């Protein structure tokens, strides 16, 4: 049975990491919904949280995709995509750290984490400054580096020297020998810039909850080296804070992206929730006006989802607009279901029966379409 | 958030075979629904289709559970449960063939299928006749026998003899030597009985779609012996039909329960859909009056579900009562989803993410409760 009554449905999923991007997720969900509501007005607003997929999500609302050649985390040249959009405050660059020093870049991973650097991040910012850009939104997340942002700072004019006064390489290995930091030649154009940091990480730079302790091992720092690496960043942070005359290492989010968050804070960056910023940029609130139902989702939902991930931000805004938001995820953690159930008008997983993770990932588009179709059947009958 | 508006929800699942019975499924679903609708009026009507669980389902609506010692399929004594209920037409016995010659009885399986017999079925019927019972509903399904119902007929007075005029054992092996059948001593009380056969099998007794070809191998008949076994039943059927002066081997359902359907037809039995009869006996239509929503389900849903399985019967009656029926199954066959979607207000599987069949079965009650809860969240918001 089909239903021809007009219905407005907003689709605002994050990407299903490892299987399909947010835009493809929208297409799959829309395909399933149309089998039940062929005449529905479907407003697709692919979401992101500042990590991978942020540029795509933001550009879906307008703007231009650009690219620039930079140095990757391991020293190899690579082409990094970024976006340029118009905002009421002026032209703004949307940058993803993962496009430059991403954890999914095999070339970067082929080099030891001690030798990786965020140099490319500085190169892209400098090029954008040269082109006249003064507004930046930088998505942190999914990086392979742990250099405290030293590579970026070095390109932008900060000098790192050893005891002999020689420049050291802005890597974790190089910073182990740093004895002085000089920020006097910092690119002065940065002072007139607006820098927004998009992140959902609130860790400080150092210590037990710091970048190295929490994220270092998954980037390749051996567990027995975590203490030494953390000490390197601690001394580095003291010297850099002294040179800038301001403190940032204890700020929530300083530990994002291997300490790139720390460096971005020193440059005047202000942290905002990536998902909130993206929701604003894509006009999610406007899309919710007059809508009957919102479908959001992500690869895997658990208690972290409620700590500001994209589906949570979608649900919060939908709630404000009095529109029910339903969650469709690859998997839903059972322990988090009671809390998730308070936020979402139903949380549903992709599998249609017992199946492996690999089968879920391989069939994600059709599973997503089928699940959306069945939810639509229920939705229609309940109305 | 909880909702205190009055809502009437009918729960009418079949059993989730291999994991939990229909009544336990109702409890699990009710538990999940109450987290969202604490004040809902929940009408639990566990369903069955004439197979395993039929007695339990019917007795949930009233009546008495009884038991009788009989001969199992392999010759061992066993206690078979049955039910006695009151109907407008008089006291009626609810019998499950699987309680007597069930495929899940290890003692029966320890004996070769050629040597198994439905003797116990005849014993129970005879005992019930002795007790004055004249109305029977016999659920066929889940049996381990393939004797064409000869065991039952023998106990009720039919003689099977070899060429030498000696009685043969009423097993497939014995029937291989049968040369004549004498029904003159058939228990004459049967003539005044009402016998309803509950089955969803429409196979004839013999041939390529017959009991032996289709169900024999899963009972232990070697594939290379299927032809010979089928020939035995064919000759047996000819002789029995001659003795009764009526034909039944080609009737749809004669092939149910290894040919027990054939014998039951000869005794005047009339086939009805097991799920339809159970739905009548448990008062499903009455429960649907004033209901807002029905949840049904089964262990696994596929195209067969639409061929008269319990959830389909529930959906059909719900449709007549203008109440949406949602399906909750352990697994939903993707190929059947388009057709299932036309019948159910949404079809949903148990898994909350990638998981094995064993994990699904082990956690079925909590998965079922969680899924029901999430559906209730969506249902409430859609209203």
């Amino acid at each position: 049975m089909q239903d021809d009554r007009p219905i407005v449905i907003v689709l605002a999923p994050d990407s299903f990491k490892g299987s399909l991007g947010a835009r493809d997720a929208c297409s799959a969900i829309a395909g399933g919904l149309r089998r039940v509501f062929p005449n529905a007005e479907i407003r697709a607003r692919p979401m992101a949280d500042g990590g991978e997929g942020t540029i795509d999500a933001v550009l879906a609302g307008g703007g231009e995709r650009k690219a620039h050649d930079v140095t990757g985390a391991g020293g190899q040249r690579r082409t990094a995509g970024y976006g340029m959009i118009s905002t009421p405050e002026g032209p703004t660059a949307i940058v993803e750290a993962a496009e430059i020093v991403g954890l999914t870049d095999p070339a970067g991973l082929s080099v030891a984490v001690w030798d990786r650097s965020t140099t490319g991040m500085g190169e892209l910012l400098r090029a954008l400054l040269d082109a006249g850009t003064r507004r930046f939104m930088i998505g942190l997340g999914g990086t392979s580096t742990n250099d405290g942002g030293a590579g970026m700072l070095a390109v932008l004019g900060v000098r790192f020297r050893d005891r002999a006064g020689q420049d050291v390489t802005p890597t974790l290995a190089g910073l182990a020998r740093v004895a002085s930091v000089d920020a006097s030649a910092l690119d002065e154009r940065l002072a007139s810039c607006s820098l927004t940091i998009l992140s959902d990480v609130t860790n400080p730079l150092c210590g037990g909850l710091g970048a190295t302790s929490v994220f270092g091992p998954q980037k390749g720092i051996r567990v027995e080296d975590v203490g030494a690496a953390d000490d390197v960043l601690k001394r580095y942070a003291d010297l850099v804070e002294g040179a800038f005359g301001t403190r940032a290492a204890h700020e929530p989010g300083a530990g994002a992206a291997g300490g790139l968050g720390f460096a971005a804070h020193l440059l005047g960056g202000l942290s905002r929730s990536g998902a909130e910023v993206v929701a604003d940029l894509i006009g999610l609130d406007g899309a919710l006006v007059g809508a009957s139902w919102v479908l959001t989702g992500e690869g895997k939902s658990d208690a972290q989802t409620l700590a500001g991930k994209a589906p949570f931000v979608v649900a919060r805004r939908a709630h404000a607009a009095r529109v029910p938001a339903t969650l469709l995820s690859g998997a839903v953690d059972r322990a988090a279901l009671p809390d998730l159930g308070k936020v979402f008008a139903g949380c549903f997983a992709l599998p249609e029966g017992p199946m492996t993770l690999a089968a879920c990932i391989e069939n994600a588009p059709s599973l997503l379409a089928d699940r959306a179709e069945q939810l639509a059947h229920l939705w229609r009958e309940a109305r």
Side-chain angles (χ1 to χ4, degrees), chain A:
Chain A
M1 288 178 295
Q2 293 183 337
D3 190 319
D4 291 344
R5 283 179 291 174
I7 177 174
V8 176
I9 306 175
V10 175
L11 309 184
D14 197 351
S15 61
F16 282 58
K17 297 212 168 56
S19 54
L20 76 175
R23 198 192 298 224
D24 290 338
C26 284
S27 300
I29 295 170
L33 294 178
R34 288 213 182 283
R35 294 177 205 150
V36 180
F37 296 115
N39 298 324
E41 180 186 338
I42 294 180
R43 299 173 181 166
R45 295 294 184 279
M47 275 289 292
D49 62 6
E52 203 182 323
T54 298
I55 296 170
D56 285 340
V58 171
L59 291 183
E64 195 177 353
R65 173 176 276 279
K66 302 202 168 197
H68 187 69
D69 282 350
V70 296
T71 304
Q76 304 89 343
R77 301 297 293 173
R78 57 179 281 119
T79 302
Y82 66 97
M84 285 301 305
I85 61 168
S86 297
T87 70
E89 295 80 21
T92 302
I94 311 291
V95 176
E96 278 179 33
E99 276 283 305
I100 301 161
V101 291
L103 198 47
T104 55
D105 172 25
L109 296 182
S110 70
V111 171
V113 60
W114 288 82
D115 296 321
R116 295 178 205 149
S117 174
T118 53
T119 304
M121 196 71 204
E123 293 167 356
L124 177 56
L125 293 189
R126 190 176 57 192
L128 287 166
L129 287 169
D130 291 348
T133 305
R134 292 295 181 270
R135 300 186 60 81
F136 303 88
M137 293 190 176
I138 304 181
L140 303 183
T143 62
S144 69
T145 47
N146 201 68
D147 73 345
M152 174 177 77
L153 293 178
V155 173
L156 295 173
V158 180
R159 305 284 296 271
F160 300 99
R161 297 194 182 92
D162 64 15
R163 290 187 180 192
Q166 299 295 311
D167 285 339
V168 300
T169 320
T171 60
L172 194 53
L175 295 180
R177 294 183 295 109
V178 74
S180 70
V181 173
D182 176 2
S184 62
L186 181 69
D187 194 318
E188 55 195 17
R189 294 173 297 182
L190 287 165
S192 57
C193 285
S194 157
L195 184 57
T196 302
I197 303 165
L198 311 183
S199 173
D200 57 5
V201 165
T202 55
N203 305 67
L205 180 61
C206 298
L209 293 173
T212 309
S213 301
V214 177
F215 306 108
Q218 73 197 47
K219 297 181 178 185
I221 295 181
R222 295 188 305 177
V223 174
E224 59 266 37
D225 293 340
V226 163
D230 193 50
D231 286 343
V232 168
L233 286 191
K234 203 172 294 164
R235 199 174 62 250
Y236 156 80
D238 286 342
L239 292 170
V240 175
E241 288 180 339
F244 276 80
T246 179
R247 300 184 70 83
H250 293 87
E251 291 289 323
L260 193 58
F262 165 72
H265 273 100
L266 284 177
L267 297 179
L270 293 175
S271 278
R272 285 192 62 194
S273 149
E276 295 282 3
V277 171
V278 171
D280 285 342
L281 291 175
I282 68 176
L284 180 61
D285 292 336
L288 289 167
V289 174
S292 303
W293 192 19
V294 182
L295 287 165
T296 182
E298 61 188 336
K300 185 174 190 322
S301 297
D302 52 28
Q304 283 300 310
T305 300
L306 300 175
K309 299 273 191 196
F312 178 76
V313 169
V314 171
R316 218 179 47 74
R317 292 177 178 233
H319 183 74
R322 299 182 173 279
V323 183
T326 295
L327 180 72
L328 249 176
S329 289
V332 182
D333 180 38
R334 191 190 304 176
L337 257 187
D339 288 331
L340 291 167
K342 293 172 188 157
V343 171
F344 296 100
C347 305
F348 301 94
L350 289 194
E352 66 210 349
M355 63 194 306
T356 62
L357 175 62
C360 271
I361 289 176
E362 185 184 337
N363 299 297
S366 67
L367 290 172
L368 201 47
D370 285 347
R371 237 36 75 223
E373 177 185 2
Q374 297 305 318
L375 290 173
H377 280 303
L378 178 58
W379 178 266
R380 184 190 54 197
E381 297 298 332
R383 290 174 87 201

